[in-house]
Amino acid sequence: LVVLCLGAVASLKAQFRLSSLVSDGMVLQQQTDVRLWGKAEAGKEIKAVASWDATKNYVARADREGRWMVTLPTPEASFTPWEISFVEGKQPLSTVKDILVGEVWLAGGQSNMQMPLKGFPGCCVENGLDEAIAAHRMDGVRMFNVPMKQEMEPQEWCGGRWMNTSCFTDVMEFSATAWFFASQLRNALHVPVGIVNIAYGGTRVEGWLPREILETYPDVSLDPKEMEKLTDYHRPMLTYNAMFVPAHHYTVKGIIWYQGCSNVGAHAQYADRLATMVGHWRKELDLGEIPFYM
């Protein structure tokens, strides 16, 4: 019986999985209902317990594919590190630690947003090294870089991890544009700031739109053979599938966007397509008419 019980516990834990964004060091949007999600054995009831109010359980049930999502309210912003534990019945599954609550923004675009504080080869960020060295004095700014990938089909999962200012090599990988935005926000509001960064150098706006919209554009082909002829970063839809879709459940306050260079020459359609993208992203994020700064 002991062996069987231990085996059942091990099986349950093996099937339980959190999104990479729901991990140690994350920043959650303050004073709102945030979404946390993952996979588990189909039909299992998953409870989330936050250390800022351990008397309450927030419950979700895994669907037939094992997907589950739980929503829980967050307190006002602070630099207090919190934890969230996930439990099935009385069996602990996972605990996410070192969570801060503050302001969270989604950053997207092409190389203008991707470019890290360390710069690109032969292309430096002015004062980037000085910023990275000084960053350790600014606790509470954290960034999650969704890995640069492309996929033909929408993806549920992405890799990546939350990085923070206590590690110099982490800060050097921060998007420079997002860092300057986050650090000024941190200094103005005196709260933690988290950035989810989904930038991919060279991408056109069409790369960040879904199939159903792109199929209405006569100048866009989604034929894999035709797409293979294009430079990877000019391919439509693929970054949307691989980078936006896995991150779109994360609860954010707004979006910052730095892109457009790769649509030069096709600028007649750009404003309309960017507006379409903004509307679609807001719909998918399901957070209302959140700010979109470009």
Side-chain angles (χ1 to χ4, degrees), residues 21 25-29 102-108 113 140-146 161-164 173-186 192-199 247 250-256:
L21 287 135
M26 67 180 175
V27 183
L28 295 177
Q29 179 61 38
E103 295 292 298
V104 184
W105 286 72
L106 180 66
M113 188 66 80
V141 176
R142 298 179 178 183
M143 194 171 299
F144 187 103
N145 288 336
V146 174
R161 62 183 178 86
W162 283 95
M163 303 180 292
N164 65 66
E173 299 296 334
F174 280 16
S175 156
T177 297
W179 160 254
F180 287 116
F181 174 83
S183 60
Q184 291 194 46
L185 202 60
R186 155 68 174 86
V193 177
I195 300 286
V196 178
N197 181 30
I198 58 170
Y250 206 77
T251 306
V252 300
K253 184 66 173 285
I255 304 162
I256 58 173

Side-chain angles (χ1 to χ4, degrees), residues 5-18 39-41 44 46 86-88 90-95:
C5 288
L6 289 174
V9 169
S11 176
L12 184 64
K13 287 190 173 182
Q15 293 184 61
F16 181 80
R17 180 180 181 185
L18 290 168
K39 294 196 87 170
E41 184 180 340
K44 290 295 183 181
I46 305 300
F86 296 90
V87 180
E88 196 282 309
K90 294 184 178 181
Q91 177 60 45
L93 297 171
S94 181
T95 298

Side-chain angles (χ1 to χ4, degrees), residues 59-82:
V59 181
R61 187 175 295 277
D63 65 16
R64 285 183 295 180
E65 284 75 41
R67 300 185 189 94
W68 59 269
M69 180 179 293
V70 66
T71 303
L72 74 164
T74 53
E76 65 179 341
S78 77
F79 292 91
T80 301
W82 303 105

Side-chain angles (χ1 to χ4, degrees), residues 8-288:
V9 169
S11 176
L12 184 64
K13 287 190 173 182
Q15 293 184 61
F16 181 80
R17 180 180 181 185
L18 290 168
S19 164
S20 297
L21 287 135
V22 183
S23 57
D24 291 353
M26 67 180 175
V27 183
L28 295 177
Q29 179 61 38
Q30 65 168 323
Q31 295 179 303
T32 192
D33 292 331
V34 299
R35 298 173 298 218
L36 310 172
W37 72 100
K39 294 196 87 170
E41 184 180 340
K44 290 295 183 181
E45 192 175 81
I46 305 300
K47 296 178 182 178
V49 183
S51 62
W52 58 80
D53 188 1
T55 63
K56 294 182 180 178
N57 295 333
Y58 298 90
V59 181
R61 187 175 295 277
D63 65 16
R64 285 183 295 180
E65 284 75 41
R67 300 185 189 94
W68 59 269
M69 180 179 293
V70 66
T71 303
L72 74 164
T74 53
E76 65 179 341
S78 77
F79 292 91
T80 301
W82 303 105
E83 295 183 356
I84 298 176
S85 297
F86 296 90
V87 180
E88 196 282 309
K90 294 184 178 181
Q91 177 60 45
L93 297 171
S94 181
T95 298
V96 179
K97 302 177 180 180
D98 189 27
I99 301 167
L100 295 183
V101 176
E103 295 292 298
V104 184
W105 286 72
L106 180 66
Q110 58 180 110
S111 59
N112 319 68
M113 188 66 80
Q114 177 200 340
M115 189 177 192
L117 273 173
K118 68 180 182 182
F120 291 139
C123 188
C124 298
V125 173
E126 184 176 3
N127 299 324
L129 180 60
D130 293 338
E131 286 285 329
I133 292 171
H136 75 277
R137 295 194 297 270
M138 189 181 294
D139 61 317
V141 176
R142 298 179 178 183
M143 194 171 299
F144 187 103
N145 288 336
V146 174
M148 290 173 54
K149 290 185 178 179
Q150 297 190 328
E151 296 288 348
M152 283 296 295
E153 299 299 329
Q155 301 296 299
E156 286 189 74
W157 308 101
C158 65
R161 62 183 178 86
W162 283 95
M163 303 180 292
N164 65 66
T165 55
S166 66
C167 177
F168 176 77
T169 54
D170 275 3
V171 179
M172 291 294 277
E173 299 296 334
F174 280 16
S175 156
T177 297
W179 160 254
F180 287 116
F181 174 83
S183 60
Q184 291 194 46
L185 202 60
R186 155 68 174 86
N187 285 338
L189 300 179
H190 307 292
V191 300
V193 177
I195 300 286
V196 178
N197 181 30
I198 58 170
Y200 191 119
T203 47
R204 298 163 64 91
V205 70
E206 291 83 359
W208 299 100
L209 286 166
R211 178 180 293 276
E212 63 267 24
I213 291 175
L214 293 167
E215 286 177 339
T216 69
Y217 296 157
D219 59 322
V220 174
S221 173
L222 299 180
D223 183 322
K225 292 181 179 178
E226 293 298 316
M227 292 170 72
E228 284 178 12
K229 297 176 184 178
L230 300 173
T231 304
D232 65 324
Y233 46 78
H234 282 173
R235 293 169 185 161
M237 185 179 70
L238 303 189
T239 45
Y240 172 87
N241 286 342
M243 298 178 70
F244 175 79
V245 174
H248 82 277
H249 292 310
Y250 206 77
T251 306
V252 300
K253 184 66 173 285
I255 304 162
I256 58 173
W257 177 257
Y258 198 167
Q259 186 273 336
C261 302
S262 289
N263 282 90
V264 169
H267 44 276
Q269 302 96 353
Y270 182 74
D272 180 67
R273 292 183 183 182
L274 180 63
T276 297
M277 192 205 82
V278 174
H280 178 76
W281 279 26
R282 282 174 170 161
K283 177 174 175 273
E284 291 300 300
L285 289 164
D286 195 24
L287 298 167

